């Protein structure tokens, strides 16, 4: 029975529902079978072990969030948006997906699941989010939209070759540390989402959606990109 079968899809629907109740650490094939009305043997025929099911959910989560960002970026490009507006559009799309799918967001960006180690098969899906961001920064560099940094990072590159390859190589001066700065941008965005999805800012921020836009704009300054929340493009997204 292939993983793309109707049974596999139904199992994953049930498993996602349980993620919000039990957390990834409490997920088991028995629990999924019981909640979904499946025979345990039917679940095991598709996902022999809990880790197989978790891996499928992880890949789906990364693919879902990545697709939301890619679609937002395509819409922005079709509208002739600037790189700053594209960045705001894709980060808003990621935020919207995160609030719509808090259990899946927690699965890929929350605490590590005990005794689970994501296999290499999750890497292509996990790369979609940074690939969208890298594409926007690369486009901004090529179009001359980036402001050169006041100072560059001293010393040799700090990132692994595969991270540099995702961006398309090390840029020329004065942007030689642009890939490292892009990693900071990505980390800041995910960190802010963790704060907002897990309600770490609700008691200190008047308007969390507006604050998110502000934080994206501040973080984008590190790569030399100007983001304006009042630009005609970059549609707003709920929730606040």
């Amino acid at each position: 029975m292939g993983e793309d079968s109707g049974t596999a899809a139904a199992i994953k629907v049930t498993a996602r529902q349980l993620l919000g109740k039990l957390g990834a650490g409490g997920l088991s094939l028995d629990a999924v079978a019981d909640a979904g009305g499946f025979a345990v043997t039917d679940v095991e025929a598709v996902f022999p072990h809990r880790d197989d099911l978790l891996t499928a959910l992880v890949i789906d989560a990364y693919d879902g969030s990545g697709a939301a960002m890619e679609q937002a970026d395509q819409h922005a490009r079709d509208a002739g948006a600037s790189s700053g507006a594209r960045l705001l559009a894709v980060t808003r799309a990621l935020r919207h997906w995160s609030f719509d799918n808090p259990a899946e967001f927690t699965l890929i960006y929350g605490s590590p699941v005990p005794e689970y180690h994501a296999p290499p098969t999750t890497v292509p899906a996990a790369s979609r989010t940074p690939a969208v961001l890298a594409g926007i920064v690369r486009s901004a560099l090529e179009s001359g939209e980036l402001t050169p940094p006041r100072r560059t990072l001293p010393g040799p590159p700090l990132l692994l070759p595969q991270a540099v390859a995702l961006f398309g190589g090390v840029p020329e001066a004065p942007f030689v540390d642009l890939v490292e700065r892009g990693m900071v941008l990505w980390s800041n965005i995910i960190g802010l989402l963790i704060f907002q999805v897990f309600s770490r800012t609700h008691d200190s921020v008047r308007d969390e959606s507006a604050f998110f836009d502000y934080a994206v704009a501040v973080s984008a300054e590190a790569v030399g990109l100007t983001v304006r929340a009042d630009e005609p493009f970059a549609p707003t997204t709920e929730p606040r």
Side-chain angles (χ1 to χ4, degrees):
M1 186 180 298
E3 186 180 319
D4 293 331
S5 69
T7 300
I11 290 170
K12 290 193 289 185
V13 167
T14 301
R16 290 189 192 98
Q17 294 170 347
L18 288 178
L19 280 178
K21 299 177 181 179
L22 305 177
L27 197 67
S28 69
L29 300 186
D30 287 340
V32 172
D34 183 61
F38 308 107
V40 175
T41 52
D42 288 341
V43 176
E44 292 175 339
V46 183
F47 303 106
H49 305 284
R50 181 210 64 161
D51 286 6
D52 298 318
L53 176 56
L54 279 176
T55 295
L57 296 176
V58 166
I59 290 173
D60 284 355
Y62 278 128
D63 277 337
S65 57
M69 295 178 70
E70 291 162 0
Q71 291 166 8
D73 190 36
Q74 184 63 58
H75 181 53
R77 283 184 289 162
D78 290 345
S82 68
S83 295
R86 286 172 60 190
L87 179 65
L88 190 57
V90 302
T91 52
R92 283 174 171 175
L94 179 59
R95 182 176 187 268
H96 190 79
W97 178 89
S98 301
F99 275 92
D100 278 352
N101 303 275
E104 289 89 338
F105 175 85
T106 301
L107 176 63
I108 57 178
Y109 292 121
S111 300
V113 181
E115 299 180 3
Y116 172 75
H117 301 282
T121 53
T122 62
V123 172
S127 298
R128 291 175 71 168
T129 289
V132 172
L133 299 178
I136 293 172
V137 174
R138 167 62 72 176
S139 177
L141 175 64
E142 294 173 349
S143 63
E145 295 178 78
L146 296 185
T147 301
R150 288 180 293 179
R151 65 182 183 89
T152 56
L153 186 73
L158 296 175
L159 302 182
L160 296 173
Q162 53 265 40
V164 177
L166 183 67
F167 185 77
V170 177
E172 297 181 356
F175 298 103
V176 292
D177 63 348
L178 184 58
V179 184
E180 284 88 349
R181 291 173 181 270
M183 183 70 77
V184 172
L185 171 64
W186 177 33
S187 302
N188 286 347
I189 290 168
I190 298 301
L192 179 62
L193 283 173
I194 290 172
F195 262 55
Q196 292 203 336
V197 173
F198 298 157
S199 298
R200 296 293 188 267
T201 55
H202 74 281
D203 57 353
S204 56
V205 174
R206 179 179 296 110
D207 184 333
E208 292 194 80
S209 179
F211 183 77
F212 180 82
D213 290 351
Y214 166 80
V216 170
V218 170
S219 299
E221 290 179 356
V223 299
L225 184 60
T226 298
V227 172
R228 292 174 45 209
D230 60 346
E231 192 163 348
F233 187 73
T236 58
T237 59
E238 294 296 333
R240 303 294 289 181

